Amino acid sequence: MLCTGRLLESMLRHVVSLVGPTGRRRFAMLLLLSLAFVVFILGSYTINKESNNSPIIHQSIETMSLGSNQTPLSRELSSFYIESGSDVDIIHPPPSHHPCDSFSFPPPPPPGFRRPGPRPCPVCYLSPEEALAHMPKHPFESPVLKNLRYIHEESPVKREEEGQGGSEFGGYPSLEDRTNSFDIKESMTLHCGFVKGTKPGHQTGFDLDEEILPELDQFHDVIVASAIFGKYDIIQEPVNISEMARKNIPFYMFVDEETHSYLKNTSSYSDDNNKRVGLWRIIVVHNVPYTDARRNGKIPKLLLHRLFPNVRYSIWLDAKLQLVVDPYQILERFLWRTNSSIAMSRHYRRFDVFVEAEANKAARKYDNASIDYQVEFYKKEGLTPYTDAKLPITSDVPEGCTIIREHIPITNLFTCVWFNEVDRFTSRDQLSFAIARDKIREKVDWSINMFLDCERRNFVKQVYHRDVLMNMKPPRASSSSSRVLPEPLPLPRGKAVGGRANTGKKIPGQRGGKRRHRKVSAGGRNMR
């Protein structure tokens, strides 16, 4: 670069000496400007070339936020960094190389081949062994809230004037108590059911047998839970469960005394077999606090962390669902892979609370006046119809029949305040979900993984409620029990039935056995 400048300078002096005194100044000025431009261009090129050939020192590992706020995903990625003294030699972390990274939904079928109505969609799972290997070593970081305690009162007093003050089981929290429950601090105390008695399940209005209480205090990494109240459903046996999960994951089914009496008349249940039906450990609930069976079912659904204080992860299933995928695979797909602390599917059709409320009224799911009161209350608090402006929130209405979560303070707080809304207003938890979520999100950086409902239908099989099944097929007479027997298998061709030969030909006006409704057949098989 220096030699080039000197050569150009000598050439300039030689040319100037040849020019007369009149035009010497102008010519000299033009040449000097040209020289400066050429020197600038050559210098910039040389500097860039040298920069591209020199090594870059990157940021130190201390500036990469690998401290106490580190998430499970960032902990996993941090193992890819290679230290060189006190510096890191890689700008970006390498890809995670997850086996499902290349998975994508297949193209939709042609319009003429589409089956109407909701249906499952493909989901990429790891094997149960691989999924378990992805379980985070440390709990998910609970934002702000670190210590959550619950109110205990032996004689709760109703202080509400509006007539919507909840129940004795919930402790009658006032509107001021409700407001305080959303003021998130490092340590909080709030109403969360079970306000009476010495511990959940003991003299609280949701009482369990004494011998089961020590079992509920045991530590488990994962549990699966469900409930049937009022004989409303038929127990569905999980399938495709790995031996590892069968050995390490307990399955708990809460039932009231009415359902328990019904179970005793089935061949699949035995008190001598530690109160089990297949994988399900039956827990009988006495002295239920509500006359509404659906509202009683919300207690284990939303307050599972209170019944199992030493459990890390739980999967809740409504009793109308049959689990068909291993629990470890579900947890890896919807919690650990997405770095989430709670997950549930969004409603497959409705995303707006106000639309959901009208659908509930049309289907007579609850008293219309109570639904209107609840929606108007939320509207005054600022709840608005769902629009794309709420993104990245994808829906205000969950399909709440499954809840996958880690039991940490922030998710425990969420399900507590969600239960308090169910206790105060209607038992339709889809209506109170968004207000409980949004009030927490106003205070802390926290979100819920709301995945597609077709993905939920991939890991659970939905069957009809018991009363629907009973109306579909009248129960057969039986002298020994009131069980609904499955339909008999079709006879081979040529056998006599009532004096007539079965030729296998379809009788006019008669439907063939193979065309029976699938869910009816599935329900019959599960009644054995």
Side-chain angles (χ1 to χ4, degrees):
M1 178 64 193
L2 183 60
C3 294
T4 304
R6 289 177 178 175
L7 177 61
L8 290 173
E9 184 180 359
S10 63
M11 290 174 61
L12 174 62
R13 288 177 179 175
H14 178 67
V15 172
V16 170
S17 64
L18 297 178
V19 180
T22 307
R24 186 174 295 172
R25 287 186 179 179
R26 292 182 179 178
F27 187 78
M29 289 297 295
L30 290 173
L31 282 178
L32 284 173
L33 290 173
S34 301
L35 174 63
F37 180 77
V38 171
V39 171
F40 175 78
I41 295 297
L42 292 175
S44 299
Y45 173 78
T46 305
I47 291 172
N48 286 337
K49 185 176 180 181
E50 292 173 354
S51 298
N52 290 334
N53 291 331
S54 64
I56 299 177
I57 303 299
H58 304 297
Q59 65 187 115
S60 68
I61 199 166
E62 284 119 21
T63 64
M64 302 185 68
S65 299
L66 300 179
S68 60
N69 293 328
Q70 189 181 21
T71 64
L73 180 59
S74 63
R75 279 195 299 270
E76 184 176 346
L77 291 178
S78 65
S79 64
F80 291 100
Y81 290 101
I82 304 173
E83 290 191 50
S84 175
S86 61
D87 296 321
V88 177
D89 294 329
I90 301 175
I91 297 179
H92 302 293
S96 62
H97 300 300
H98 193 281
C100 293
D101 284 344
S102 60
F103 174 80
S104 60
F105 287 111
F113 292 92
R114 291 182 183 176
R115 182 166 64 89
R119 57 192 181 274
C121 55
V123 176
C124 182
Y125 300 108
L126 301 184
S127 69
E129 293 75 17
E130 291 175 312
L132 180 58
H134 282 72
M135 180 187 289
K137 292 182 174 59
H138 305 284
F140 188 93
E141 186 72 18
S142 178
V144 181
L145 178 62
K146 309 301 178 186
N147 184 24
L148 186 62
R149 296 185 297 269
Y150 309 107
I151 289 175
H152 168 77
E153 287 183 87
E154 282 300 327
S155 301
V157 179
K158 187 174 183 178
R159 300 176 294 272
E160 201 66 54
E161 297 179 358
E162 292 93 334
Q164 297 285 339
S167 66
E168 185 180 47
F169 174 79
Y172 301 116
S174 66
L175 288 177
E176 182 181 1
D177 294 329
R178 179 179 180 273
T179 300
N180 292 336
S181 68
F182 295 114
D183 184 17
I184 300 178
K185 304 173 183 177
E186 184 173 349
S187 295
M188 295 179 63
T189 303
L190 78 159
H191 291 84
C192 191
F194 302 104
V195 295
K196 298 172 63 177
T198 56
K199 61 181 300 185
H202 181 71
Q203 298 179 353
T204 58
F206 190 89
D207 300 331
L208 310 179
D209 293 327
E210 290 291 332
E211 63 267 19
I212 193 67
L213 294 177
E215 184 176 338
L216 269 57
D217 286 334
Q218 294 176 3
F219 172 81
H220 294 286
D221 278 319
V222 182
I223 66 168
V224 178
S226 186
I228 302 175
F229 291 91
K231 301 188 301 181
Y232 200 61
D233 290 292
I234 298 170
I235 293 180
Q236 306 296 322
E237 179 66 8
V239 297
N240 303 321
I241 308 300
S242 66
E243 288 301 319
M244 179 175 59
R246 289 173 178 269
K247 179 180 179 181
N248 298 317
I249 299 179
F251 290 69
Y252 291 105
M253 177 68 70
F254 291 87
V255 300
D256 57 3
E257 293 176 343
E258 180 183 9
T259 305
H260 185 227
S261 298
Y262 172 77
L263 287 176
K264 287 181 177 180
N265 293 324
T266 64
S267 59
S268 57
Y269 178 83
S270 172
D271 277 320
D272 298 333
N273 192 24
N274 203 21
K275 293 183 178 178
R276 288 189 175 274
V277 175
L279 282 177
W280 294 106
R281 172 77 156 95
I282 305 301
I283 300 179
V284 183
V285 181
H286 311 280
N287 191 25
V288 291
Y290 305 109
T291 57
D292 181 7
R294 289 183 177 89
R295 197 187 294 268
N296 286 321
K298 298 299 187 293
I299 296 173
K301 176 178 181 177
L302 299 179
L303 305 185
L304 207 57
H305 62 282
R306 298 222 58 195
L307 291 163
F308 297 92
N310 298 310
V311 163
R312 188 175 179 191
Y313 296 99
S314 68
I315 298 176
W316 169 268
L317 307 169
D318 280 3
K320 65 182 179 181
L321 303 177
Q322 180 188 28
L323 189 66
V324 296
V325 171
D326 190 87
Y328 289 126
Q329 294 175 295
I330 296 172
L331 285 163
E332 190 280 329
R333 170 61 186 87
F334 297 104
L335 282 193
W336 306 335
R337 193 187 308 176
T338 60
N339 194 26
S340 304
S341 59
I342 185 170
M344 62 189 76
S345 67
R346 55 183 183 257
H347 198 280
Y348 71 96
R349 180 183 297 169
R350 294 185 288 274
F351 310 98
D352 182 273
V353 173
F354 302 97
V355 176
E356 175 67 17
E358 293 303 316
N360 275 256
K361 290 163 60 177
R364 299 181 180 180
K365 295 293 182 91
Y366 208 85
D367 173 64
N368 287 3
S370 298
I371 292 177
D372 289 337
Y373 178 89
Q374 181 175 5
V375 171
E376 287 300 317
F377 187 96
Y378 291 161
K379 190 183 296 184
K380 292 177 183 177
E381 287 198 324
L383 182 66
T384 59
Y386 180 81
T387 65
D388 289 343
K390 293 189 177 183
L391 290 173
I393 293 174
T394 56
S395 176
D396 284 345
V397 181
E399 184 58 72
C401 52
T402 60
I403 300 177
I404 309 162
R405 69 181 178 116
E406 182 176 2
H407 293 199
I408 58 175
I410 194 67
T411 62
N412 295 342
L413 171 69
F414 168 68
T415 53
C416 281
V417 297
W418 191 7
F419 172 80
N420 289 342
E421 296 299 293
V422 170
D423 184 52
R424 175 181 293 274
F425 299 106
T426 71
S427 62
R428 307 306 298 172
D429 52 23
Q430 293 96 331
L431 301 181
S432 50
F433 166 83
I435 201 75
R437 176 202 63 193
D438 292 350
K439 284 185 173 292
I440 292 178
R441 283 174 55 87
E442 288 175 3
K443 301 289 186 177
V444 297
D445 182 15
W446 173 78
S447 62
I448 297 175
N449 176 19
M450 296 192 74
F451 52 90
L452 295 173
D453 191 58
C454 66
E455 295 178 292
R456 174 191 66 85
R457 293 174 183 271
N458 180 285
F459 65 82
V460 290
K461 178 182 177 182
Q462 187 162 324
V463 298
Y464 291 116
H465 289 301
R466 177 177 172 272
D467 57 346
V468 177
L469 286 170
M470 296 288 286
N471 291 330
M472 282 183 171
K473 195 69 178 179
R476 293 176 178 272
S478 173
S479 58
S480 59
S481 70
S482 60
R483 289 187 295 117
V484 180
L485 299 177
E487 286 220 70
L489 296 174
L491 293 173
R493 297 180 64 176
K495 296 290 184 180
V497 182
R500 298 181 59 181
N502 178 19
T503 63
K505 296 181 180 180
K506 182 179 176 182
I507 301 174
Q510 177 183 356
R511 298 184 64 180
K514 291 185 178 180
R515 296 184 61 186
R516 288 177 298 171
H517 199 289
R518 276 185 169 180
K519 288 187 177 178
V520 178
S521 301
R525 286 195 298 270
N526 283 290
M527 294 180 205
R528 294 182 183 180

